[in-house]
Amino acid sequence: MGLRWDSLLVRELARELDERFAGERLRGLRLHGPTRTVTLLFRDVTLLWRLHPGDGGLTLHPRAEPDPSDLPLPSRVRQVRSPADERILVFELLPTRGRRLRNLIVELLGTRWNAVVTEVPEQRIRHVLVRRDAPRTLAAGASYEAPATPSREGVDGLLSEDRWRELRSGGSPEERRRRLVSSVAWTSPLNADALLRPDLPAEAAIREGRARWQALASGTSAPGPTLLEMTRGPQPYPWPLPGITGRPLGSLLETFEIWNRERSGSPAAAGTLPTELVGALERALDQAQRRVTSLRAELDAVEAPEALRAVGDLLLARLHEVPSGTERVVLEGFEGRPLTIRLDPTRAPHENARAYYDRAARARRARDRIPDMIGGAERAIVRLESLLVRARSGEASAAEIRGALPSDSRRPAQGTGEAALPYRVYRSSGGLEIRVGRGARHNDELTFRHAAPDDVWLHARHAAGAHVILRWASPGNPPARDLEEAAVLAAVHSRARTSGSVPVDWTRRKHVRKPRGSAPGAVVPQRVSTVFVEPDSDRADGLREE
């Protein structure tokens, strides 16, 4: 079961944190809503809060370096405090630059645990872990209002014996428990039975229960922090409670550390990792999974090399029966059955035969190469899945994750001034730069933000694929060889990559427009010319600029 908080536990934890961190320098703060974690990056140690009701708690970890995505809050902890009889904990932060005081407020009420950063004295919310719109507005820019909680008697630890007798008299044990918790400060379902003492005679229970409540309310009870063994599971608490087995420990932080280790098997340090780095690992795993799916589809689409070679053999054997300039011909096959053969009308019959031999060779290479690529991608999935599990459990370091990420999954950190380009760069044999879009959502950016009006725009006709830009600023058309190489790249980076001959449309970039509301990558080219090319991946790889 999850951790439970009451005002006593929050008060004593605030005292311990104040003793530990008052005057300490805070270098950064990390709020990650999806995992409900708050990470305080101090100069010498990292404090990790987990604020999910089903997996709450806090633990100390070794020093971690702030990430550019973290909130830069260079400050010192002025004080850690808790309002009396509230489940709210406040870190008062005194900036090392400037004069504006900030508070980190951790709310531990019910099942809506949260954290906000406010400016003092206006109490304007600057940052929030999880946005809330009801019953209170917890959002950046709103004024922070503390949660409304009913006031209870005895906040100062003073409650007469007569009043104590009145509260615990009459009704069933459950009714007395509810009455005590709703009326008396510093009581909760965690300690109610220890204060009512139903196991003792009435008079002894009154004396023992009130004396214990006074000690708890004033903070003078002994011997100290304990990990209680309750029916719901282990529970960190400031003091032992009669009737409940517990393990005395040296500090509340130690009770949380052991509580977490016994529940999860290891210290939960995932929140100490930069959230962008964990996100990059998740993206790399998703890319590897999609790559396997794509490669399998590509393998299924590869033509049978034996059949292609047989067509080439038939064309050479019946060369005199093949007319020039036709798109198809019907020939009698070697087995006596008629066979319809598609041709490139711009090629001579013997060139069409050679094209079928070339397609057979490419198909053979693809059948030899793609299974190894699938195997490599599947092994990458296993490695990344294992690393992600370890990252989420806090066992993997930032350096280990960075070392395991593919280069195209490592996005430049925010604030570095660098941006991931939406295209890959190639160089034609004539020295012209060729830009190939990285995918549908990047095609628009390449075409309309990273291309000049007179550059040449290319795309495989009737096939999903990359936009390609051939940089060209001179009058007239680009050299035929450079244009053909750019067209080969468009064909290779399209769904038609396994075809024998691919028509690639090209025009000036200024003649390409994007209809309003169209899907990513969807454009309408005008004044189009077409070139037919073979999607030769080996030739394309030779153009890649390192």
Side-chain angles (χ1 to χ4, degrees):
M1 300 295 289
L3 179 69
R4 290 183 290 175
W5 295 91
D6 68 5
S7 56
L8 276 175
L9 177 56
V10 173
R11 183 190 72 187
E12 296 306 311
L13 179 61
R15 288 180 178 177
E16 187 171 307
L17 291 174
D18 185 62
E19 292 176 0
R20 173 65 177 81
F21 291 106
E24 287 290 323
R25 179 184 171 189
L26 181 66
R27 299 181 301 152
L29 181 67
R30 184 177 302 153
L31 302 176
H32 191 224
T35 57
R36 306 287 183 88
T37 55
V38 178
T39 310
L40 291 87
L41 302 158
F42 290 101
R43 180 174 54 186
D44 301 317
V45 71
T46 299
L47 179 63
L48 170 64
W49 280 88
R50 298 191 315 285
L51 294 175
H52 193 289
D55 183 29
L58 73 163
T59 46
L60 287 177
H61 302 276
R63 167 191 169 110
E65 292 302 319
D67 193 70
S69 61
D70 296 336
L71 300 177
L73 290 178
S75 55
R76 292 189 182 275
V77 177
R78 174 174 158 182
Q79 181 185 12
V80 183
R81 59 179 175 83
S82 174
D85 197 35
E86 296 283 359
R87 286 172 290 171
I88 296 175
L89 193 143
V90 181
F91 287 81
E92 294 183 359
L93 305 176
L94 186 62
T96 56
R97 296 190 298 271
R99 299 179 180 179
R100 189 174 293 275
L101 184 69
R102 290 190 175 96
N103 286 341
L104 168 64
I105 303 173
V106 180
E107 298 183 350
L108 300 161
L109 297 94
T111 59
R112 298 170 73 86
W113 300 354
N114 213 335
V116 297
V117 177
T118 65
E119 288 185 344
V120 179
E122 298 90 347
Q123 288 292 48
R124 184 76 59 187
I125 297 176
R126 294 295 304 276
H127 309 281
V128 62
L129 179 65
V130 180
R131 180 190 173 106
R132 302 285 190 194
D133 295 311
R136 295 174 298 136
T137 299
L138 295 179
S143 295
Y144 176 75
E145 296 180 5
T149 55
S151 58
R152 302 191 293 180
E153 304 174 57
V155 172
D156 55 1
L158 300 177
L159 199 67
S160 69
E161 183 176 331
D162 290 342
R163 179 57 176 156
W164 187 266
R165 286 178 180 274
E166 179 185 349
L167 288 168
R168 71 174 314 282
S169 64
S172 67
E174 183 58 35
E175 289 172 338
R176 291 195 294 271
R177 187 181 297 109
R178 285 199 298 266
R179 187 187 308 136
L180 180 73
V181 172
S182 64
S183 302
V184 180
W186 310 112
T187 64
S188 72
L190 288 172
N191 59 31
D193 286 339
L195 299 176
L196 291 171
R197 294 308 302 269
D199 56 318
L200 295 179
E203 285 300 317
I206 290 173
R207 292 193 302 271
E208 169 68 21
R210 180 167 176 267
R212 182 168 296 277
W213 173 81
Q214 289 176 322
L216 294 177
S218 62
T220 59
S221 184
T226 302
L227 189 62
L228 301 175
E229 300 294 341
M230 308 191 75
T231 54
R232 290 167 53 94
Q235 170 69 45
Y237 209 64
W239 303 285
L241 297 176
I244 302 177
T245 303
R247 284 175 281 171
L249 295 167
S251 69
L252 277 173
L253 287 173
E254 186 180 0
T255 67
F256 281 107
E257 183 70 32
I258 295 175
W259 174 82
N260 176 76
R261 185 181 296 118
E262 291 183 352
R263 292 176 70 254
S264 63
S266 63
T272 65
L273 292 170
T275 54
E276 287 301 315
L277 190 59
V278 177
L281 181 57
E282 292 170 342
R283 290 193 300 273
L285 176 58
D286 180 64
Q287 289 172 359
Q289 291 168 336
R290 286 189 285 111
R291 178 167 172 75
V292 167
T293 300
S294 175
L295 286 171
R296 285 175 176 162
E298 185 174 344
L299 183 61
D300 291 341
V302 172
E303 300 172 286
E306 297 81 4
L308 293 171
R309 178 166 287 280
V311 172
D313 292 342
L314 182 61
L315 284 173
L316 289 182
R318 305 276 196 271
L319 202 60
H320 62 284
E321 301 178 28
V322 181
S324 298
T326 184
E327 292 186 355
R328 66 188 64 221
V329 66
V330 179
L331 299 176
E332 181 181 348
F334 295 123
E335 297 178 356
R337 294 191 297 270
L339 181 65
T340 300
I341 301 174
R342 294 177 60 111
L343 303 172
D344 183 348
T346 64
R347 293 177 174 177
H350 70 281
E351 291 175 334
N352 273 292
R354 173 51 57 189
Y356 272 97
Y357 288 136
D358 290 343
R359 286 169 60 183
R362 287 197 300 275
R364 172 57 61 193
R365 291 196 299 271
R367 287 197 170 188
D368 291 340
R369 182 183 72 252
I370 294 176
D372 289 339
M373 297 169 68
I374 293 174
E378 289 175 335
R379 289 190 292 273
I381 289 174
V382 173
R383 290 195 302 271
L384 293 170
E385 284 179 336
S386 175
L387 185 57
L388 184 58
V389 169
R390 294 177 56 238
R392 288 171 174 168
S393 67
E395 298 177 5
S397 67
E400 182 180 5
I401 295 174
R402 287 192 176 94
L405 289 176
S407 58
D408 57 355
S409 295
R410 302 172 191 167
R411 296 185 178 178
Q414 297 178 14
T416 61
E418 300 178 8
L421 292 174
Y423 56 85
R424 300 178 179 88
V425 177
Y426 294 78
R427 189 71 60 178
S428 72
S429 55
L432 300 182
E433 181 180 335
I434 306 173
R435 297 175 176 178
V436 178
R438 292 182 180 272
R441 66 189 183 92
H442 292 301
N443 280 338
D444 290 339
E445 189 175 357
L446 166 61
T447 296
F448 298 108
R449 295 186 182 179
H450 293 269
D454 287 328
D455 286 345
V456 174
W457 178 92
L458 305 96
H459 189 273
R461 183 193 295 177
H462 304 316
H467 291 192
V468 174
I469 295 294
L470 175 65
R471 303 304 306 277
W472 181 250
S474 302
N477 293 334
R481 183 173 180 180
D482 300 80
L483 180 65
E484 180 185 2
E485 289 170 343
V488 168
L489 289 169
V492 168
H493 291 89
S494 76
R495 292 281 180 85
R497 65 178 67 91
T498 57
S499 301
S501 179
V502 178
V504 176
D505 293 335
W506 66 275
T507 185
R508 298 286 184 171
R509 204 284 299 162
K510 61 187 176 184
H511 300 314
V512 179
R513 64 181 182 87
K514 184 170 183 63
R516 185 184 300 274
S518 58
V523 297
V524 177
Q526 298 173 328
R527 303 186 186 182
V528 171
S529 300
T530 304
V531 58
F532 288 82
V533 295
E534 297 177 10
D536 189 338
S537 57
D538 292 336
R539 186 179 181 187
D541 290 342
L543 301 173
R544 183 68 183 267
E545 184 172 272
E546 298 297 335

